[in-house]
Amino acid sequence: GDSVTQMEGPVTLSEEAFLTINCTYTATGYPSLFWYVQYPGEGLQLLLKATKADDKGSNKGFEATYRKETTSFHLEKGSVQVSDSAVYFCALRGGGYQKVTFGTGTKLQVIP
Amino acid sequence: GAGVSQSPRYKVAKRGQDVALRCDPISGHVSLFWYQQALGQGPEFLTYFQNEAQLDKSGLPSDRFFAERPEGSVSTLKIQRTQQEDSAVYLCASSLGAGVDEQYFGPGTRLTVT
């Protein structure tokens, strides 16, 4: 079945550092890929998405590129801020199916 | 506009009790989903409704779990004879259409079974 593997956290970075959170997936067909973010005390929010190979999703300075050849969707940001501290979930939705399969989440802490 | 709301936000149940968790989706959203998120894990799919029809219940972990959406709007997830392993955050999400639209998540109900 479908699965998502993402790097374990917590990840602690200083403000303005470069961020990479690795994510790889296993799926049949051509899934859509997502990054969700969960800020402390809040619900899950969609951060960005990509629906086909080589698409780049971007939002709020974050970006991720759908790499079919390596089955990866790594999240990057050039300069993190304290306000980016949250838990980040990589996820996929298999082609033709409604349900979303999530990774285990990576907690990011940015210190001033 | 109003987002997805869930109630109660927190529920403590003694083992063996029945619980009912409510989800109010965004008005007009056709699709509704329930997920279970254990501590330190990602959400896991439980069930999916398109209007009042439950089209996928493959994620429900046992026959103690039951979900309904009788009028195609509000949904209730019921857990009978709760067990400690049922302790988790239960998330509800809705999406506008019956296709592959973005899912909007509620804040969740944290269930603790003692």
Side-chain angles (χ1 to χ4, degrees):
Chain A
D2 296 347
S3 67
V4 175
T5 303
Q6 60 182 108
M7 62 189 288
E8 290 191 21
V11 174
T12 302
L13 294 174
S14 297
E15 205 165 21
E16 299 184 0
F18 184 87
L19 169 71
T20 300
I21 300 178
N22 290 336
C23 171
T24 57
Y25 67 90
T26 301
T28 54
Y30 302 93
S32 296
L33 302 176
F34 308 87
W35 278 99
Y36 282 84
V37 59
Q38 191 168 36
Y39 298 103
E42 298 184 18
L44 275 172
Q45 301 174 26
L46 179 65
L47 180 60
L48 54 84
K49 68 179 180 182
T51 58
K52 61 183 188 295
D54 300 324
D55 267 3
K56 178 184 283 188
S58 60
N59 186 24
K60 300 181 180 180
F62 291 88
E63 58 183 34
T65 301
Y66 189 141
R67 300 286 188 202
K68 193 170 188 302
E69 64 276 14
T70 54
T71 60
S72 65
F73 193 55
H74 305 321
L75 182 69
E76 296 183 335
K77 186 175 186 183
S79 176
V80 293
Q81 305 301 311
V82 172
S83 57
D84 294 326
S85 298
V87 181
Y88 293 82
F89 293 92
C90 185
L92 70 83
R93 187 177 56 224
Y97 289 87
Q98 294 288 331
K99 68 179 183 181
V100 176
T101 300
F102 289 85
T104 54
T106 302
K107 183 174 182 179
L108 170 66
Q109 182 177 13
V110 181
I111 54 178
Chain B
V4 178
S5 61
Q6 294 184 243
S7 61
R9 291 293 311 277
Y10 303 91
K11 177 70 179 177
V12 179
K14 291 191 172 149
R15 196 173 70 157
Q17 284 184 331
D18 297 349
V19 298
L21 312 180
R22 177 187 169 107
C23 172
D24 283 82
I26 294 172
S27 178
H29 276 199
V30 167
S31 297
L32 186 144
F33 308 80
W34 283 98
Y35 293 85
Q36 180 191 58
Q37 186 176 15
L39 188 64
Q41 301 298 312
E44 292 193 2
F45 171 81
L46 293 177
T47 188
Y48 161 60
F49 289 87
Q50 183 178 315
N51 295 307
E52 68 278 4
Q54 189 174 21
L55 298 187
D56 187 349
K57 53 182 181 179
S58 62
L60 295 176
S62 77
D63 59 7
R64 296 186 296 103
F65 287 71
F66 172 76
E68 60 183 6
R69 193 187 185 198
E71 297 178 358
S73 55
V74 171
S75 177
T76 304
L77 176 67
K78 298 180 179 178
I79 309 173
Q80 297 177 323
R81 305 181 304 282
T82 52
Q83 304 294 316
Q84 282 196 316
E85 61 263 28
D86 300 335
S87 296
V89 175
Y90 291 85
L91 298 170
C92 177
S94 69
S95 65
L96 179 61
V100 289
D101 303 301
E102 176 180 346
Q103 295 182 19
Y104 295 85
F105 283 81
T109 294
R110 182 178 296 277
L111 172 65
T112 303
V113 181
T114 61

